[in-house]
Amino acid sequence: MLTIKRVPTVFSNYQEDAAEPRGCGRNCLGKCCLPVSKLPLYAFKSDSKPPVSPSGATEDPPADFFLNALLLGQWEDRMSRGLFRYDVTACETKVIPGEQGFIAQLNEGRHLKKRPAEFRVDRVLQPFDPAKFNFTKVGQEEVLFRFEAGGADKSRFFESASVDEANPPSVVAINVSPIEYGHVLLIPRVLDCLPQRIDTESFLLALHMAAEAGNPYFRLGYNSLGAFATINHLHFQAYCLSVPFPVEKATTKKIPIAKGLADGGVKISLLMNYPVRGLVYEGGNTLKDLADVVANSCICLQESNIPFNVLISDSGRRIFLFPQCYAEKQALGEVSQELLDTQVNPAVWEISGHMVLKQKKDYEEASEDYAWRLLAEVSLSEERFQEVKACIFEATGLVEAEVEDTDANENKGTYQSTTASNTHFPEGCLVLQ
């Protein structure tokens, strides 16, 4: 069994000493408290069957309501209450000189006050363990709102809504050890205590969150076990950063598909000229079309015990899937000591080009060469990547066309910032270039 002794990221103020009995008087997210609680509810427009509708809804909120007024407004409220372990808006951030435009952040607070743990890296799928920290132990003061399908043709917001036991609630909560401004966790069906594994329903929920935010500077990310997820309770992460990620600007090459995508409108491409090999999914006639193809690809990886990371970009219209092997190399002693000394765990944000550095020396000396060398260790070899791609295609019923009909340079990055130009984030999430 491969193991790495590590100091895990602290997601919640209740994570440390979680084994100590606290009773059920903490107003937590467990079955003892949540079913009798009332939390704010954002019900996004959906074709799904609507849940029981409480009264007092705000019908069809303004376009910027979800991200600016609700999510970021409530996040700043929790910041004013002192619920975060440090002020992430005070962390230094810069764009590293070079062609790729990697972003470096100095976040010395993120590795402080951690408790030691044994982290198993050779199993992507592991059963949920209620004895270990999980999000049912989070206090409701860390929750911003519930995020669920509303079943109507318009989104609605309820300031207070009872929990319907027939529809397990999904919640958005703060990450008390934030990487960036607005750093939150999306926890699908929190009471179901799902382990960290992708399913089609939960992945669609994450795409809906990106779509409701409606801003390309707000991205969601997912880390599997073995790819630097530190909590085995299903969750996605999200935050704001007002600069394009390097991976969003990278060249892609369309994979011609002869069979399997039907009329869903989804396009699959290879990521080119980037240190980490990956697949890019975009388009789709509906969010569900795109979510189903990506989720089924992830399901193939996790069932094949292949660690991976996912970036949800461009308001849910573009998804990057990265199979990776860094933790395995680390456990086998195949990563250079120079890279290990930086204590950087290359999860979805680092792979996308946002380097979260824990030591001032590393931040001051950060270079494009360092970022490229780190991420190259994350990537599968070309031979292994082709094997994994073939496995995904076989498992999802996709058949690649034999004749190439695309140009390798057909897409030199499709990052669009037009949506973002209408939304103004506070200074805390801006990057000086």
Side-chain angles (χ1 to χ4, degrees), residues 201-218:
E201 179 182 347
S202 297
F203 196 79
L204 179 59
L205 183 73
L207 291 197
H208 274 293
M209 185 173 177
E212 290 295 320
N215 193 297
Y217 293 147
F218 181 82

Side-chain angles (χ1 to χ4, degrees), residues 315-335:
S315 302
R317 291 185 288 263
R318 201 162 183 238
I319 319 297
F320 297 82
L321 175 60
F322 307 99
Q324 75 140 290
C325 59
Y326 188 89
E328 179 182 356
K329 288 183 178 179
Q330 188 177 3
L332 295 173
E334 297 177 357
V335 179

Side-chain angles (χ1 to χ4, degrees), residues 227-245:
F228 299 103
T230 56
I231 305 296
N232 189 22
H233 190 173
L234 181 59
H235 65 284
F236 297 82
Q237 301 187 46
Y239 62 72
C240 299
L241 186 64
S242 58
V243 65
F245 280 172

Side-chain angles (χ1 to χ4, degrees), residues 74-207:
Q74 290 298 306
W75 189 90
E76 289 188 350
D77 171 76
R78 301 315 189 271
M79 186 177 182
S80 69
R81 295 192 209 175
L83 296 184
F84 295 99
R85 291 178 173 264
Y86 49 85
D87 181 6
V88 72
T89 65
C91 293
E92 295 181 62
T93 298
K94 65 181 179 182
V95 176
I96 299 173
E99 181 181 347
Q100 297 292 329
F102 290 110
I103 306 147
Q105 181 200 82
L106 176 60
N107 194 327
E108 295 173 295
R110 193 165 168 81
H111 74 289
L112 301 176
K113 298 181 181 179
K114 303 294 196 283
R115 61 183 178 88
E118 290 288 331
F119 181 76
R120 186 168 180 172
V121 300
D122 62 343
R123 288 291 179 270
V124 174
L125 296 180
Q126 299 179 35
F128 180 86
D129 185 349
K132 295 182 179 179
F133 174 78
N134 62 79
F135 297 115
T136 66
K137 300 179 181 183
V138 169
Q140 290 184 26
E141 70 275 10
E142 296 181 18
V143 175
L144 304 185
F145 53 89
R146 289 163 51 197
F147 183 74
E148 299 164 21
D153 58 355
K154 295 180 179 180
S155 297
R156 296 180 294 173
F157 175 67
F158 308 90
E159 291 188 359
S160 179
S162 300
V163 173
D164 178 10
E165 294 186 8
N167 296 279
S170 298
V171 301
V172 175
I174 61 171
N175 186 332
V176 301
S177 298
I179 287 177
E180 256 300 343
Y181 178 77
H183 194 169
V184 296
L185 306 170
L186 171 64
I187 309 166
R189 311 198 314 271
V190 61
L191 290 178
D192 284 351
C193 295
L194 303 170
Q196 185 74 341
R197 63 183 299 168
I198 291 287
D199 62 77
T200 55
E201 179 182 347
S202 297
F203 196 79
L204 179 59
L205 183 73
L207 291 197

Side-chain angles (χ1 to χ4, degrees), residues 236-270:
F236 297 82
Q237 301 187 46
Y239 62 72
C240 299
L241 186 64
S242 58
V243 65
F245 280 172
V247 74
E248 294 171 326
K249 301 181 293 182
T251 301
T252 59
K253 178 181 178 182
K254 182 179 178 181
I255 302 174
I257 304 297
K259 179 182 177 182
L261 290 179
D263 298 322
V266 177
K267 182 177 80 171
I268 306 176
S269 303
L270 291 171

